[in-house]
């Protein structure tokens, strides 16, 4: 097992643990903003995984996947942000009985 | 060469993974969404960047794979470009939606700038009260305007003099009187009223000479002062909004920040600027020539009404003190059309021929416009404080060119008629 392979295995381990941590934050919250931030971080982790798979298997296409996620991943965060802002500023929905 | 490249790629991959791990740890351990966002985006970008770059080197299989390196570089560049956008949008949304701020945060620089809605922990469980109307403006960060109400039923103007009014929300002890008076005046004249809560952060930005702690301490001090300014502005704005929502007035409120010269265009095109007394442009307590009203008048911001107390006006002093602007006093009063029922006494603070001629001419002009104006004896230049006090007693309002006349250093020691009037009159109209 070469040095590079050991590094890649360790990196897989660390990034896997990180994914667990981010997932915990995503489920736990407590605020909607926390969940949006965790979702954004999941995108970054997806880039890491794609790059690691590319390095481990030598399949160059996975690097293109990482590139694609980096290119459009921020759109999700921006739209989450816009949604959060508008949802919190809108007046409360009327109760049916009123 | 190939062994070196492999080690290089391995180190980059491992370093990236470690940074990503630290970011994930921060996401768990940090205490509020803003800190978590800081950990997630900054460390996350460095981590994934390193990792992608390492993978691109490793893909060469002992050599250098140029296409993989190009893709990897592009990937890192795009991460660096897009991640700030994402984190900014998320941070702003977190602030507006009312995410909690941990107690470790020293200063909230956005207070008074962006609205804070109620924080929703579990929307399905908590019944939340929300503000009836969001107090800040869509899409605006620094400068914003919001229509409060524009009632249709109130459209008959009773005077054609004042059509556009601006009230300066500077805070301070006389702000309530100024807001109240401005709303009453706008209602009586059917005028369009703009409330401008303008903050000049100038003095806070200047590094101050603080003996212990140096720059960090002075920065903290500046932050605090700016925070206080914004809090005052937000409070005055909220007070005004509450008042305006109860009065049938076409009112608009807005918040702006910047140096006074850049704020002036916002108040341009109005018929009169209503300013509370006793406060300077930084929102601090100030006296006569340092006041906001004097500052604005010196910059030619048009007729300025300095309000100290909203009282009915019976006697008005029009004081000619020998400065160039004194020639415009009567025309200023005539342009605003204020105090038609009051008795106007026109007099000079000097007894030279030029001032006396000015008194005669301005009294005649006011009489021609229908005011009850009369000429009074001049106050001698060497009058004592008691004599001045006796002469100005009983005036509720004043029209004069300056809040204080300082011709020499010695003048600062004695009170002139302008200073005495500025201290006592409920209203002072400045040209």
């Amino acid at each position: 097992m070469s040095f590079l392979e050991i590094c890649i295995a360790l990196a897989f381990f660390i990034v896997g643990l990180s994914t667990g941590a981010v997932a915990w934050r995503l489920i736990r919250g407590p605020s909607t903003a926390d969940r949006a931030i965790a979702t954004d971080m999941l995108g970054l982790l997806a880039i890491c995984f794609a790059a690691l798979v590319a390095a481990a298997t030598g399949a160059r296409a996975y690097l293109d996947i990482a590139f694609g996620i980096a290119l459009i991943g921020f759109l999700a965060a921006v739209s989450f942000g816009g949604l959060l802002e508008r949802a919190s500023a809108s007046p409360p929905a009327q109760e049916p009985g009123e | 060469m190939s062994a070196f490249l492999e080690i290089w790629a391995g180190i980059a991959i491992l370093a990236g993974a470690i940074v990503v791990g630290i970011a994930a740890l921060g996401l768990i351990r940090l205490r509020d969404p803003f800190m978590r966002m800081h950990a997630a985006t900054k460390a996350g970008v460095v981590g994934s960047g390193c990792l992608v770059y390492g993978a691109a080197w490793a893909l060469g299989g002992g050599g250098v794979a140029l296409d993989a390196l190009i893709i990897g570089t592009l990937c890192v560049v795009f991460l660096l470009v897009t991640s700030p956008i994402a984190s900014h949008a998320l941070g702003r949304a977190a602030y507006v939606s009312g995410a909690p701020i941990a107690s470790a945060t020293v200063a909230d620089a956005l207070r008074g700038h962006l609205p804070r809605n109620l924080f929703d922990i579990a929307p399905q469980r908590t019944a939340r009260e929300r503000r009836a109307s969001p107090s800040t403006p869509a899409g605006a960060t620094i400068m914003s305007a919001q229509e409060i109400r524009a009632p249709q039923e109130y459209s008959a103007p009773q005077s054609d003099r004042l059509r556009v009014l601006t009230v300066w929300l500077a805070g301070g002890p006389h702000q309530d009187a100024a807001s109240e008076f401005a709303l009453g005046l706008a209602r009586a004249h059917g005028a369009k009223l703009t409330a401008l809560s303008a903050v000049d952060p100038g003095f806070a930005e200047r590094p101050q000479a603080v003996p212990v702690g140096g720059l960090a301490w002075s920065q903290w001090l500046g932050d605090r002062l700016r925070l206080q300014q914004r809090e005052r502005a937000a409070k005055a704005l909220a007070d005004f909004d509450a008042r305006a929502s109860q009065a049938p007035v076409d009112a608009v409120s807005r918040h702006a920040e910047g140096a006074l010269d850049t704020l002036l265009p916002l108040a341009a095109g109005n018929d009169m600027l209503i300013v509370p007394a006793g406060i300077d442009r930084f929102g601090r307590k100030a006296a006569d020539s340092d006041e906001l009203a004097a500052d604005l008048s010196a910059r030619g911001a048009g007729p300025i009404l300095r309000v100290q107390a909203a009282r009915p006006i019976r006697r008005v002093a029009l004081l000619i003190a020998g400065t160039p602007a004194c020639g415009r006093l009567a025309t200023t009063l005539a342009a605003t059309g204020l105090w038609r029922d009051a008795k106007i006494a026109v007099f000079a603070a000097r007894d030279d021929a030029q001032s006396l001629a000015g008194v005669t001419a301005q009294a005649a002009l006011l009489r021609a416009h229908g005011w009850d104006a009369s000429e009074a004896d001049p106050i001698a230049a060497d009058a004592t404080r008691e004599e001045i006090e006796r002469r100005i007693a009983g005036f509720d309002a004043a029209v004069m060119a300056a809040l204080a006349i300082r011709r020499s250093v010695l003048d600062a020691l004695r009170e002139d008629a302008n200073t005495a009037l500025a201290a006592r009159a409920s209203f002072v109209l400045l040209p």
Side-chain angles (χ1 to χ4, degrees):
Chain A
M1 214 174 174
S2 73
F3 175 72
L4 182 61
E5 282 169 341
I6 296 171
C7 282
I8 290 174
L10 269 177
F12 260 121
F13 180 67
I14 296 172
V15 175
L17 278 186
S18 306
T19 312
V22 172
W24 180 81
R25 177 55 74 200
L26 184 62
I27 294 166
R28 174 77 190 274
S31 68
T32 319
D34 285 310
R35 297 199 169 95
I37 290 162
T39 314
D40 188 36
M41 180 83 185
L42 272 187
L44 290 176
L45 288 174
I47 296 174
C48 294
F49 268 123
L52 279 177
V53 169
T57 62
R60 208 158 289 177
Y62 278 100
L63 214 55
D64 296 339
I65 293 176
F67 178 61
I69 299 173
L71 206 56
I72 57 164
F74 81 105
L75 287 179
V78 170
S79 44
F80 263 128
L83 180 69
L84 205 53
E85 219 170 294
R86 247 175 299 139
S88 69
S90 63
Q94 290 291 310
E95 294 291 322
E98 283 173 10
Chain B
M1 183 66 194
S2 84
F4 172 74
L5 276 182
E6 277 203 356
I7 290 171
W8 171 239
I11 287 173
I13 287 177
L14 201 56
I18 288 170
V19 172
V20 167
I22 292 171
L25 191 68
L27 207 63
I28 295 185
R29 295 281 297 162
L30 289 178
R31 291 169 52 198
D32 70 17
F34 303 98
M35 298 181 190
R36 286 173 199 145
M37 186 195 67
H38 157 84
T41 51
K42 287 203 186 65
V45 166
V46 174
S48 348
C50 272
L51 226 156
V52 168
Y53 220 58
W57 281 104
L59 273 176
V64 175
L66 197 62
D67 58 340
L69 269 185
I70 289 173
I71 292 284
T73 312
L74 274 179
C75 193
V76 173
V77 166
F78 272 102
L79 274 178
L80 287 175
V81 169
T82 58
S83 168
I85 300 172
S87 55
H88 175 258
L90 279 179
R92 189 189 143 88
Y95 188 87
V96 170
S97 73
I101 298 177
S103 51
T105 305
V106 176
D108 175 6
L110 284 174
R111 188 180 300 180
H113 255 329
L114 286 176
R116 282 277 276 166
N117 297 303
L118 282 179
F119 165 48
D120 51 350
I121 293 177
Q124 71 278 14
R125 268 185 284 146
T126 45
R128 283 159 297 147
E129 268 187 48
R130 275 167 167 160
R131 212 178 294 167
S133 62
S135 78
T136 312
T141 48
I142 303 268
M143 224 169 267
S144 49
Q146 185 200 3
E147 205 71 33
I148 294 175
R149 68 191 290 210
Q152 296 300 312
E153 71 270 19
Y154 195 85
S155 59
Q158 292 165 8
S159 155
D160 55 352
R161 305 262 183 196
L162 299 171
R163 288 199 177 280
V164 186
L165 290 171
T166 299
V167 56
W168 202 288
L169 302 177
H174 305 298
Q175 180 64 57
D176 286 349
S179 301
E180 199 65 58
F181 175 76
L183 282 165
L185 195 68
R187 186 176 180 178
H189 287 258
K192 188 169 165 53
L193 179 65
T194 305
L196 186 65
S197 91
V199 168
D200 183 346
F203 81 102
E205 275 161 10
R206 209 179 310 134
Q208 289 155 357
V210 181
V212 188
L215 193 63
W217 173 250
S218 105
Q219 249 168 15
W220 178 81
L221 211 62
D223 277 349
R224 266 185 59 88
L225 288 168
R226 232 167 299 158
L227 180 64
Q228 285 166 0
Q229 279 180 312
R230 290 195 180 114
E231 273 173 5
R232 266 198 299 268
K235 186 179 166 295
L237 207 61
D239 284 353
F240 178 84
D241 285 355
R243 277 173 212 275
S245 62
Q246 284 161 13
V249 172
D250 182 2
V252 168
S253 61
R254 67 182 347 197
H255 177 81
E257 239 169 84
L260 196 59
D261 288 324
T262 63
L263 293 176
L264 274 182
L266 298 175
N270 59 349
D271 294 323
M272 194 164 68
L273 198 57
I274 298 163
V275 177
I279 211 99
D280 74 356
R281 60 195 170 119
F282 303 122
R284 296 175 296 188
K285 279 190 174 36
D288 47 55
S289 54
D290 296 328
E291 271 188 34
L292 177 62
D295 247 348
L296 290 169
S297 173
R299 286 171 163 80
I304 291 154
L305 189 67
R306 169 185 178 271
V307 182
Q308 206 154 20
R311 267 181 286 171
I313 300 303
R314 289 182 307 276
R315 291 184 65 205
V316 179
L318 194 148
L319 179 66
I320 295 176
T323 57
C326 284
R328 290 186 277 128
L329 292 179
T331 45
T332 306
L333 180 59
T336 58
L338 289 168
W339 307 320
R340 281 201 169 274
D341 307 327
K343 282 189 192 315
I344 317 271
V346 185
F347 57 92
R350 296 146 34 116
D351 42 10
D352 55 68
Q354 204 182 353
S355 295
L356 293 179
V359 168
T360 316
Q362 302 215 13
L365 181 82
L366 284 177
R367 273 196 295 274
H369 278 85
W371 266 272
D372 180 8
S374 56
E375 297 154 47
D377 295 332
I379 299 178
D382 55 352
T384 62
R385 181 174 292 222
E386 286 73 31
E387 282 171 350
I388 293 175
E389 301 249 333
R390 194 153 33 78
R391 277 302 304 276
I392 65 156
F395 286 114
D396 310 307
V399 184
M400 54 196 192
L403 293 178
I405 303 283
R406 297 266 152 79
R407 283 189 207 83
S408 69
V409 185
L410 267 181
D411 276 4
L413 296 176
R414 37 163 268 252
E415 196 171 50
D416 56 78
N418 289 59
T419 320
L421 266 173
R424 282 160 195 77
S426 308
F427 295 97
V428 175
L429 185 66
L430 297 161

